């Protein structure tokens, strides 16, 4: 079969058309850290892995460069940073749970940029670089966002810790009002967003869903809901793995206003609500 060859100009035009067709949401992937199991026996190893994108529970692979760090917080108050592999993957790493209690797995992204702008011929374009990089080529900038994300999940080894590690000090963190280990179906769980170590009292948005609610992108059990004061409540209407997201959009600091128009900070939380067994346990495999 004859291979078609395109000039650089045609390739550039094709990429521009693709960019026009892609929704802005395609560039707003959310990061969720998960565990193979959320309730483990002492000495058990189970993998952590990620969801990155718009489909729950797993979506796109994550570039190594996108992850600033991944850490494990055992019940003894220490923390360990995971040595990450290069390349794009779900970044799955086996964690050995040797201490009984509540463990926390957490990660932070490297800040990313998304700029939508018009060139001198009024053609709409996009860039994943700061606004300043297109300033001399743009007739108008439609939007420019810097995005940072933090994510965590809880794993209980044997039994929960006497003091639940609700808050581990992430720059933006979703903090549950009580230990997720003892939650039951149809409980209502309250959350407080923390920013820079203190309860966040400004405006933001939250949404939530559980694994199995919908296979469609951003089709969530609780759709995006505005919240003031950083506090919100979720009705745990189904057993299984829950995904909670909270984000803020604010103006940039004075010294960065040439780089982006909005600062987006996102925090996500994953935990598991066990529920009751639906079938009798088999005697053997």
């Amino acid at each position: 079969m004859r291979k078609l060859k395109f000039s650089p100009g045609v390739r550039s035009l094709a990429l521009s058309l693709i960019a026009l067709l892609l929704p802005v949401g395609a560039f707003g992937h959310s990061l969720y850290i998960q565990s193979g199991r959320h309730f483990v026996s002492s000495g058990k190893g189970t993998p952590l892995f990620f969801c990155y994108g718009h489909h729950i529970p797993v979506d796109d692979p994550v570039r190594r460069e996108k992850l600033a760090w991944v850490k494990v917080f055992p019940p003894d108050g220490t923390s360990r940073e995971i040595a990450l592999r290069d390349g794009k993957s779900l970044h799955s790493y086996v964690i050995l749970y040797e201490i009984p209690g509540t463990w926390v797995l957490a990660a932070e992204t490297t800040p990313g940029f998304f700029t939508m702008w018009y060139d001198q011929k009024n053609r709409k374009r996009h860039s994943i670089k700061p606004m300043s990089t297109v300033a001399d080529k743009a007739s108008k900038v439609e939007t420019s966002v810097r995005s940072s994300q933090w994510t965590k999940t809880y794993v209980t080894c044997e039994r929960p810790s006497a003091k639940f590690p609700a808050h581990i000090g992430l720059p933006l963190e979703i903090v549950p009002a009580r230990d997720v280990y003892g939650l039951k179906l149809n409980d209502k769980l309250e959350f407080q967003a923390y920013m820079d170590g203190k309860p966040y009292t400004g405006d933001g948005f939250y949404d939530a869903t559980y694994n199995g609610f919908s296979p469609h992108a951003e089709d969530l059990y609780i759709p995006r809901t505005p919240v003031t004061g950083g506090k919100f409540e979720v009705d745990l209407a189904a057993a299984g793995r829950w995904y909670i997201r909270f984000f803020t959009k604010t103006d940039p600091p004075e010294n960065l206003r040439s780089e982006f128009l909005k600062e987006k900070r996102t925090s996500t939380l994953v935990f598991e609500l066990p529920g009751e067994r639906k079938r009798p346990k088999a005697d053997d495999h």
Side-chain angles (χ1 to χ4, degrees), residues 177-193:
R178 56 193 175 105
D179 192 338
V180 298
Y181 178 80
L183 293 170
K184 294 181 174 58
L185 187 63
N186 295 319
D187 278 352
K188 296 183 187 301
L189 183 58
E190 188 176 273
F191 299 92
Q192 172 69 57

Side-chain angles (χ1 to χ4, degrees), residues 9 64 85 119 123 141 158 175 180 198 222-223 252 258 279:
R64 163 64 186 89
R85 295 184 295 271
D119 65 17
R123 293 173 297 194
V141 174
E158 295 286 349
V175 177
V180 298
K198 299 177 182 179
I222 299 177
S258 64
R279 296 284 186 271

Side-chain angles (χ1 to χ4, degrees), residues 25-34 49-63 88-91 211 214-220 243 245:
F27 302 96
H29 280 37
S30 291
L31 186 78
Y32 296 89
I33 192 169
Q34 304 182 67
F49 62 98
F50 288 91
C51 168
Y52 182 58
H54 303 278
H55 293 80
I56 298 297
V58 176
D59 202 345
D60 292 337
V62 189
R63 291 181 296 110
K88 293 176 68 175
S89 71
L90 298 182
H91 282 281
N211 190 14
S214 173
H216 300 289
E218 297 295 336
D219 184 18
L220 307 181
Y243 303 81
R245 177 170 57 187

Side-chain angles (χ1 to χ4, degrees), residues 15-274:
L15 290 172
S16 297
L17 289 172
I18 291 171
L20 281 170
L21 294 172
L22 285 172
V24 173
F27 302 96
H29 280 37
S30 291
L31 186 78
Y32 296 89
I33 192 169
Q34 304 182 67
S35 177
R37 296 186 185 183
H38 285 267
F39 305 95
V40 299
S41 301
S42 183
K44 171 73 177 178
T46 194
L48 68 78
F49 62 98
F50 288 91
C51 168
Y52 182 58
H54 303 278
H55 293 80
I56 298 297
V58 176
D59 202 345
D60 292 337
V62 189
R63 291 181 296 110
R64 163 64 186 89
E65 296 79 11
K66 188 62 184 174
L67 295 171
W69 52 257
V70 178
K71 293 180 181 179
V72 178
F73 296 80
D76 61 5
T78 62
S79 67
R80 313 170 190 166
E81 187 163 348
I82 302 295
L84 302 177
R85 295 184 295 271
D86 291 334
K88 293 176 68 175
S89 71
L90 298 182
H91 282 281
S92 181
Y93 304 91
V94 175
I95 307 301
L96 180 63
Y97 293 91
E98 70 272 31
I99 304 173
T102 306
W103 294 59
V104 186
L105 313 177
E108 177 181 313
T109 64
T110 302
F113 295 88
F114 176 69
T115 300
M116 189 77 77
W117 56 285
Y118 290 84
D119 65 17
Q120 299 300 326
K121 294 183 178 180
N122 205 36
R123 293 173 297 194
K124 195 173 187 179
R125 298 182 178 275
H126 80 272
S127 171
I128 55 172
K129 295 181 179 180
M131 185 169 61
S132 60
T133 62
V134 302
D136 59 341
K137 298 178 285 186
S139 62
K140 180 178 70 172
V141 174
E142 184 174 277
T143 185
S144 184
V145 178
R146 181 173 74 170
S147 174
S148 302
Q149 300 189 49
W150 298 269
T151 182
K152 70 177 181 181
T153 190
Y154 295 105
V155 178
T156 302
C157 176
E158 295 286 349
R159 58 185 179 274
S161 296
K163 183 179 180 182
F164 177 58
H167 178 224
I168 62 169
L170 301 178
L172 180 63
E173 185 173 359
I174 299 171
V175 177
R178 56 193 175 105
D179 192 338
V180 298
Y181 178 80
L183 293 170
K184 294 181 174 58
L185 187 63
N186 295 319
D187 278 352
K188 296 183 187 301
L189 183 58
E190 188 176 273
F191 299 92
Q192 172 69 57
Y194 273 63
M195 184 175 285
D196 299 325
K198 299 177 182 179
Y200 176 68
T201 57
D203 296 332
F205 299 86
Y206 83 95
D207 47 28
T209 198
Y210 54 86
N211 190 14
F213 174 74
S214 173
H216 300 289
E218 297 295 336
D219 184 18
L220 307 181
Y221 171 66
I222 299 177
R224 181 177 299 179
T225 303
V227 57
T228 298
K231 188 175 289 187
F232 56 95
E233 187 179 74
V234 174
D235 179 8
L236 303 177
R241 195 161 294 189
W242 279 83
Y243 303 81
I244 316 294
R245 177 170 57 187
F246 177 84
F247 73 89
T248 65
K249 274 191 176 181
T250 57
D251 293 332
E254 186 71 35
N255 64 328
L256 292 175
R257 291 189 177 177
S258 64
E259 301 300 306
F260 53 93
L261 299 176
K262 288 293 180 182
E263 176 94 69
K264 184 178 181 182
R265 306 175 97 193
T266 304
S267 182
T268 62
L269 168 66
V270 178
F271 63 91
E272 189 168 273
L273 184 68

